Amino acid sequence: MTIDLTRRTLLHLAGASSLGAAAIAAAQAEGTAGGGGPTFANRTPMRIGMVTLRVRDLDKVTDYYRDAIGLAVMQRTATSVRLGSGGVALLDLERREGAAREARNAAGLYHTAFLMPTRKDLARWLVHAAKNKVPLSGFADHLVSESVYLDDPEGNGIEVYADRAPETWKWDGGSVAMATDQLDIDGLLALTDTGTTNYAKAPDDLRIGHMHLRVGDLEQADRFYGSAIGFDPTRKRSGAAFLSSGRYHHHLGINVWQSAGAGPRDDTATGLAWFSLEVAAQQILEAQTLRLRQVGAPAAAIENGIETADPWGTKLRLIKV
């Protein structure tokens, strides 16, 4: 099937009149004003593992992540579906028919960021998105990466992105330069055949590169994810902070743009149930457990790790791999 894929096509899918408008939408999605690939993001001492979402329409949301993102269905029951890529589980969906939609001003998920192995893979996925008329909410160049934003059928935010080579990132001490500039769509599309699509499934090395969360208080969240969990700060701006392990640009984004003052999350509502953080050494896990108990946070034993929760009830599983 041939595809009439032009910059105008992608702008139409993003509901934008210009690249500048799409960058503004991306700024709202990512939070900066105005090929390292997953091999780097996932060889750090701590990295994102998988995500579990509570959804009302299990079949519809499953079909979306399979068809729009290219994840493979690995396991299916009457109440849940597990999806992944290259045999690695990345996303669990749990059926919650009749559940209330989590409010946009509640603490919870801002977006899950799927990291493509290469820039060419991101280009191939863009052609796939155009062929399937997948609605987009913005796209931008963040200096460290190039990103496209969209939402699943129940409003869970998604980022699909590719990293630039880590040696090109600009660091000033512990702070990395990021921005929200116009995405070079023409440069991306030059990497692949825009007349057809060969994106039958997500690349085997696709992983979740980072998570971005809504929180009720930025300093409180920074203390939990920084001091207790052990992430290092990489960038701060009004209403948002970014943290990572091993000098990745960020494994975690936190913001209060819509959720300042939010109280405990409703576990019966849709949205993020939990996400996992893989740790490379037993000493890291033991230190995390000690710090969590010192600050009075939960630290329940699970297989190969512990489960805790941030101050708003977002659950995090720390797994030794």
Side-chain angles (χ1 to χ4, degrees), residues 54-102:
R54 297 184 292 261
V55 301
R56 301 203 300 186
D57 191 328
L58 182 62
D59 292 338
K60 185 176 183 179
V61 179
T62 297
D63 290 350
Y64 180 87
Y65 283 97
R66 182 196 64 201
D67 299 338
I69 307 300
L71 300 184
V73 175
M74 301 175 64
Q75 181 179 323
R76 185 190 294 264
T77 71
T79 59
S80 67
V81 174
R82 173 164 290 186
L83 302 101
S85 185
V88 176
L90 300 176
L91 181 67
D92 272 353
L93 303 175
E94 298 180 346
R95 186 192 300 273
R96 293 290 189 274
E97 290 184 0
R101 287 278 185 94
E102 185 169 72

Side-chain angles (χ1 to χ4, degrees), residues 26 53 84 105 113-114 118 125 130 150 206 261-262 277:
L53 302 176
N105 62 353
F114 293 96
T118 69
W125 175 78
L150 56 164
L206 179 82
L277 182 64

Side-chain angles (χ1 to χ4, degrees), residues 63-217:
D63 290 350
Y64 180 87
Y65 283 97
R66 182 196 64 201
D67 299 338
I69 307 300
L71 300 184
V73 175
M74 301 175 64
Q75 181 179 323
R76 185 190 294 264
T77 71
T79 59
S80 67
V81 174
R82 173 164 290 186
L83 302 101
S85 185
V88 176
L90 300 176
L91 181 67
D92 272 353
L93 303 175
E94 298 180 346
R95 186 192 300 273
R96 293 290 189 274
E97 290 184 0
R101 287 278 185 94
E102 185 169 72
R104 290 287 187 178
N105 62 353
L109 179 68
Y110 200 63
H111 62 240
T112 301
F114 293 96
L115 176 55
M116 289 287 175
T118 69
R119 191 174 190 238
K120 184 174 181 178
D121 288 315
L122 179 61
R124 292 173 52 244
W125 175 78
L126 266 179
V127 177
H128 170 80
K131 173 193 172 184
N132 291 280
K133 297 181 172 60
V134 177
L136 309 175
S137 56
F139 30 85
D141 183 334
H142 293 305
L143 303 183
V144 294
S145 61
E146 295 173 290
S147 302
V148 180
Y149 296 91
L150 56 164
D151 297 283
D152 78 13
E154 298 196 0
N156 297 297
I158 299 170
E159 177 183 349
V160 179
Y161 75 113
D163 276 335
R164 286 198 167 90
E167 58 266 23
T168 68
W169 303 348
K170 305 296 186 184
W171 289 88
D172 181 5
S175 180
V176 66
M178 293 192 288
T180 300
D181 297 335
Q182 293 182 2
L183 183 65
D184 180 10
I185 290 176
D186 295 336
L188 272 174
L189 297 182
L191 297 174
T192 190
D193 181 0
T194 61
T196 187
T197 177
N198 60 359
Y199 189 91
K201 63 180 182 65
D204 286 349
D205 290 332
L206 179 82
R207 296 292 183 268
I208 298 174
H210 67 265
M211 294 290 290
H212 198 141
L213 305 177
R214 301 188 306 259
V215 298
D217 180 88

Side-chain angles (χ1 to χ4, degrees), residues 222 225-226 231-234 241-245 249-254:
D222 205 12
Y225 287 105
F231 278 127
D232 299 316
T234 60
F242 301 89
L243 307 99
S244 85
S245 172
H249 53 75
H250 69 293
H251 287 102
L252 184 70
I254 51 178

